[in-house]
Amino acid sequence: MRPVVIRGGRVVDPSQKMDAVLDVHLHDGVVAAVGERLDAPEGAEELDASGLVVAPGLVDVHVHLREPGQEHKETIASGARAAAAGGFTAVVAMPNTDPPIDNPGTVGFVVAEGRRAGAARVYPSGCITVGQAGEQLTEFGELVAAGAVCVTDDGRPVMSAAVMRMALEYALAFDLPVAVHEEDLTLSRGGSMNEGLIATRLGLTGIPNAAEDVMIARDLMLAELTGGRLHVQHVSTRLGVEMIRVARSRGVRVSAEGTPHHFTLTDAAVDSYRTDAKMNPPLRSEADRDAVRRGVADGTLDVIATDHAPHHYDEKEQAFDDAPNGIVGLETALGLAYTELVATGLIDLPTLVERMSCAPARALSLPGGTLRPGSPADVTLIDTREEWTVDPARFVSLSRNTPFGGRRLRGRAVRTLVGGITVWGPTA
Amino acid sequence: MAHANAAFLGKDLLGLEDLTAEQITAILDTAEPFKEVSERPVKKVPVLRGKTIVNAFFENSTRTRISFEFAEKRMAADTVNISSSGSSVQKGETLVDTARNLEAMRIDMVVIRHGSSGSARFLAERIQSNVINAGDGKHEHPTQGLLDLLTIRDHRGPIAGLRVCIVGDVLHSRVARSNIHGLRKLGAEVAVCGPQTLMPPAIGELGVTVFKRIEEAIEWADVLNVLRLQLERMKSGFIPSLREYNRVFGVTRARVERAPRDLLVLHPGPMNRGVEIDSDVADGPHSVILQQVTNGVAVRMAVLYLLAGGAPEQAEAAKTGGGE
């Protein structure tokens, strides 16, 4: 790769407590230097970043790339490109594919396809249990050796407390985070939206907050018992946020996600059976939405992750009960986070970068999340002034299932570099 | 004529929550002249002659489908029935494609019953034909709500101020929801009563009183609408047993006789005799269950007439074959 010098941008890197107008020099795939008026080596590409924010590459630790098995919704390649378009330099792929990523062969496949895509980096996660059946642990050692960065049964919970305890303890040998989708299936009972007045009016079975809370409580206690690394995915309830806050103060090793849709929308978005507002965990009440926002603001939810869940429009074009859960999120996350959290004054820009880059990388021990010299040359250039309207027809992702179509957002990634190479932007 | 023009009800009848009190009252008033058609030796008025109507019942139903069919045929429409077994839906055709195919055949009206809440609206948003919701999942069953209102009005006069309690499995009941909306819009005081496991969350926020015991409900009510308890609720753990349900919540003769007022008892059918309602109540002097069925045909005739563009004030003339 050609060396790159990014000139005159506002470099925001919380990992170095840095927020100043500086140049960034990328060389041989790593950050060579960050400073004022850097000399450019021979043949370097010079990028004018004046007026832009220069951040360590954004990292999304929760995306569904649907490959192997459901390539009509998304592929590793299309997902990696959509990630780059959203400003992400790395994503962690969820393992609820078909077949699931519960063996080293499938891990290796995802690693290879991610490399071939040549866009955002793709780190596979492995299943906690074989076939996500919740019974028998997968071979964590084998999965890690093949490239898995965490284990999760996401999409499904681990219903047995005993199995979850084993998973947290066994993972200690590899210092491996165990990421959890928190849902007691006997309480959610096939529900399709938040339990409450709207579900009652629409005649839909509701999922109570308790379905998520009882599992968060359980797993925080098991994490405390075992000393394991817990990563709580897509927290949607006010009590869930509160319990994580308490657990952390007790020294539990827990990281936790807040998704853009959970800090933006409530169950009112379901309205007249809109399937593009159907996801799991569901959109909840205003009190829950506000608690998720405050959790992201104060760092209880230290990671913003999208739970990018592409579905083909045929599948979402069904009666509400029959439609699958989830919305795409890679290409709207930064705009939503900036508009809802920074532009409102709830958090400042360095905190946003912390939530979307530094903390996600730290939570799963990934390279990146910093512009310290020697770290990977993964950089996101953000225009915080640009206002734009979400147009699903122009998504890079293969799928269009979003409730945010037509929404006016502020803030957008204008260039994404991975290993010093532009994978999204004017010359990509 | 059957398409979205300035018809009195709009294009579709999807639920009572969407209607105004005026519209609901007009439907009930329009049903009055149509009651008489079913009493004649030759039960026919040509109000819907030339109209094509499909009864798309993706959920099994005998009484509702027959009731609609009679309403349609007594008004001289051409009707076709689709039922779930043997239909293309079983071969994997989606609801969207079923809808589009019906429309491509230029069907004027579709009466749909389907197991998913919101499915009637789903269909209505995608085809030009008039769509009548004959029951969508747990959401609404508007013609049932309307015939319940008509029956109550026949026997107790104006709905406003009446105390009506819906008893039973409200959680899973589209009949309950339609009743709640219709009764409240016409000014009734509405209550629900049943085991808490079968009560929808936040039901009080719909403006209804919640009684935990049937004795309290009967003490309060002028009218009881008793819902069918589906036998599988016991298997799913909502109630311990049918015997317990009858002992604690059953509408029995002893309880009805202890009512301070002359109770009216309704039931949408089919009944589980000895479970939610005892035979001597169902067959007794307080029960108007069979009148509900009779009114059902008249109400459905009124709804079809109005959706087809008929004017409420011309229904009386229409029933003699001189309308529209």
Side-chain angles (χ1 to χ4, degrees):
Chain A
M1 55 151 286
R2 282 172 73 188
V4 174
V5 179
I6 305 170
R7 293 222 180 270
R10 176 184 168 193
V11 177
V12 178
D13 182 3
S15 73
Q16 302 182 79
K17 297 198 181 5
M18 187 179 281
D19 183 354
V21 175
L22 297 165
D23 295 347
V24 179
H25 173 200
L26 310 176
H27 206 109
D28 286 338
V30 298
V31 177
V34 180
E36 291 185 17
R37 282 182 288 279
L38 298 179
D39 291 327
E42 181 96 23
E45 183 185 5
E46 303 213 17
L47 300 175
D48 177 12
S50 47
L52 301 178
V53 169
V54 178
L58 307 183
V59 177
D60 189 350
V61 296
H62 191 148
V63 305
H64 294 270
L65 298 183
R66 304 297 189 210
E67 188 176 14
Q70 297 178 310
E71 292 83 358
H72 59 292
K73 305 187 201 225
E74 193 84 278
T75 64
I76 293 170
S78 69
R81 285 196 296 270
F88 294 97
T89 55
V91 297
V92 177
M94 292 296 105
N96 60 332
T97 48
D98 179 17
I101 309 178
D102 64 1
N103 64 83
T106 316
V107 174
F109 169 78
V110 175
V111 169
E113 285 299 299
R115 249 186 229 130
R116 215 158 60 95
R121 298 178 198 270
V122 177
Y123 297 107
S125 53
C127 300
I128 297 173
T129 62
V130 176
Q132 296 183 270
E135 289 165 15
Q136 189 193 342
L137 295 184
T138 56
E139 298 162 304
F140 290 3
E142 293 285 302
L143 299 182
V144 168
V149 299
C150 70
V151 287
T152 174
D153 272 355
D154 181 54
R156 295 185 52 78
V158 175
M159 284 295 286
S160 159
V163 172
M164 178 56 76
R165 179 191 178 159
M166 295 292 189
L168 284 163
E169 282 181 331
Y170 189 68
L172 288 170
F174 317 98
D175 197 26
L176 191 64
V178 178
V180 288
H181 166 104
E182 303 291 49
E183 178 188 356
D184 185 319
L185 296 173
T186 67
L187 289 178
S188 60
R189 256 185 339 183
S192 54
M193 69 171 290
N194 185 41
E195 186 174 280
L197 179 61
I198 296 179
T200 289
R201 275 185 42 242
L202 295 180
L204 294 171
T205 301
I207 300 173
N209 285 24
E212 186 170 336
D213 293 336
V214 301
M215 295 293 266
I216 292 179
R218 180 195 84 172
D219 291 346
L220 288 172
M221 289 172 196
L222 293 176
E224 185 164 348
L225 173 67
T226 59
R229 278 175 82 173
L230 187 70
H231 177 81
V232 185
Q233 297 172 312
H234 46 50
V235 179
S236 75
T237 65
R238 53 199 186 271
L239 188 54
V241 174
E242 184 59 36
M243 291 191 286
I244 291 166
R245 199 176 274 130
V246 169
R248 225 182 254 135
S249 73
R250 295 165 67 89
V252 175
R253 299 166 73 197
V254 56
S255 51
E257 297 169 4
T259 66
H261 46 276
H262 286 116
F263 64 63
T264 304
L265 301 174
T266 65
D267 57 357
V270 173
D271 193 35
S272 43
Y273 303 99
R274 293 187 58 194
T275 59
D276 58 19
K278 179 179 180 183
M279 68 280 291
N280 194 13
L283 300 172
R284 296 200 188 268
S285 70
E286 288 190 10
D288 296 310
R289 192 252 327 253
D290 293 346
V292 170
R293 278 168 103 99
R294 280 195 305 274
V296 173
D298 72 19
T300 303
L301 302 181
D302 48 334
V303 169
I304 292 175
T306 63
D307 195 5
H308 175 84
H311 290 293
H312 195 273
Y313 74 79
D314 279 342
E315 296 159 310
K316 284 291 206 177
E317 185 83 345
Q318 293 189 78
F320 197 86
D321 272 334
D322 304 321
N325 285 309
I327 59 171
V328 290
L330 286 169
E331 297 172 74
T332 48
L334 181 57
L336 282 168
Y338 192 89
T339 307
E340 296 292 316
L341 303 176
V342 181
T344 56
L346 191 62
I347 64 175
D348 59 16
L349 189 59
T351 305
L352 182 68
V353 176
E354 168 72 24
R355 300 281 179 270
M356 293 189 77
S357 178
C358 317
R362 236 177 10 248
L364 299 193
S365 303
L366 302 172
T370 175
L371 293 177
R372 212 169 263 120
S375 53
D378 294 353
V379 187
T380 307
L381 270 58
I382 304 170
D383 187 345
T384 57
R385 303 153 306 180
E386 182 181 340
E387 297 202 355
W388 56 288
T389 304
V390 178
D391 181 6
R394 300 186 55 198
F395 280 169
V396 172
S397 166
L398 294 185
S399 291
R400 310 260 169 277
N401 50 314
T402 176
F404 298 115
R407 197 175 180 109
R408 198 98 179 112
L409 296 178
R410 191 175 137 194
R412 185 174 224 179
V414 295
R415 184 185 288 266
T416 309
L417 297 101
V418 173
I421 298 175
T422 295
V423 295
W424 168 259
T427 59
Chain B
M1 183 43 121
H3 294 281
N5 54 18
F8 180 72
L9 289 183
K11 180 172 87 75
D12 314 296
L13 177 65
L14 301 179
L16 297 189
E17 191 178 14
D18 312 320
L19 299 184
T20 64
E22 291 70 37
Q23 285 171 313
I24 295 175
T25 305
I27 297 172
L28 301 183
D29 293 340
T30 304
E32 291 293 345
F34 286 123
K35 278 179 184 173
E36 187 264 314
V37 175
S38 297
E39 305 300 333
R40 301 178 189 167
V42 178
K43 303 173 186 15
K44 205 79 155 180
V45 289
V47 171
L48 293 185
R49 181 167 47 205
K51 295 275 179 274
T52 47
I53 307 182
V54 168
N55 297 319
F57 278 62
F58 298 99
E59 245 187 14
N60 281 331
S61 155
T62 313
R63 64 190 58 221
T64 304
R65 188 173 56 75
I66 290 178
S67 181
F68 267 105
E69 229 186 304
F70 278 141
E72 293 152 10
K73 288 187 152 84
R74 284 175 193 173
M75 297 200 293
D78 296 324
T79 70
V80 170
N81 293 325
I82 300 178
S83 68
S84 56
S85 64
S87 76
S88 57
V89 170
Q90 282 218 316
K91 297 177 201 158
E93 187 178 39
T94 63
L95 191 53
V96 178
D97 283 330
T98 303
R100 296 217 181 101
N101 283 318
L102 290 179
E103 186 173 46
M105 290 187 266
R106 302 287 182 258
I107 306 296
D108 293 303
M109 303 177 135
V110 179
V111 177
I112 176 172
R113 167 170 286 195
H114 191 283
S116 291
S117 301
S119 48
R121 173 184 288 267
F122 183 90
L123 194 70
E125 284 171 351
R126 284 161 180 78
I127 61 175
Q128 302 249 36
S129 324
N130 304 111
V131 174
I132 295 121
N133 181 8
D136 65 327
K138 303 197 302 282
H139 175 231
E140 284 225 43
H141 189 357
T143 57
Q144 180 71 41
L146 289 164
L147 72 89
D148 289 346
L149 288 169
L150 185 63
T151 309
I152 296 173
R153 191 172 86 166
D154 284 347
H155 288 91
R156 288 289 182 275
I159 305 281
L162 278 180
R163 292 176 162 186
V164 182
C165 185
I166 302 158
V167 181
D169 180 0
V170 181
L171 177 62
H172 298 97
S173 173
R174 51 190 171 218
V175 172
R177 282 169 182 79
S178 289
N179 262 266
I180 289 170
H181 295 306
L183 287 163
R184 292 204 69 244
K185 285 185 198 251
L186 296 191
E189 288 179 48
V190 184
V192 290
C193 176
Q196 189 61 29
T197 49
L198 293 173
M199 274 297 150
I203 188 71
E205 290 179 53
L206 286 185
V208 307
T209 308
V210 181
F211 289 114
K212 290 195 164 41
R213 300 301 303 258
I214 187 76
E215 293 82 2
E216 297 166 7
I218 286 179
E219 175 72 31
W220 172 88
D222 300 310
V223 180
L224 291 185
N225 198 339
V226 185
L227 302 176
R228 189 173 118 76
L229 180 76
Q230 287 183 317
L231 305 186
E232 78 218 30
R233 301 301 170 219
M234 182 181 75
K235 295 204 192 93
S236 311
F238 287 95
I239 53 167
S241 72
L242 301 182
R243 177 181 69 185
E244 164 100 344
Y245 185 83
N246 179 262
R247 296 280 281 265
V248 178
F249 295 99
V251 178
T252 63
R253 189 169 89 167
R255 289 184 170 132
V256 168
E257 280 176 355
R258 247 179 269 130
R261 284 167 287 280
D262 181 17
L263 265 189
L264 199 68
V265 177
L266 285 76
H267 191 302
M271 293 182 277
N272 290 314
R273 290 168 177 269
V275 179
E276 70 265 7
I277 188 169
D278 282 357
S279 284
D280 44 15
V281 175
D283 302 330
H286 299 272
S287 156
V288 290
I289 294 173
L290 293 176
Q291 286 95 309
Q292 285 175 275
V293 178
T294 310
N295 281 342
V297 180
V299 159
R300 286 164 180 136
M301 291 170 85
V303 166
L304 293 166
Y305 167 79
L306 290 170
L307 284 177
E313 58 274 11
Q314 288 172 343
E316 183 67 43
K319 79 164 191 191
T320 58
E324 69 109 354

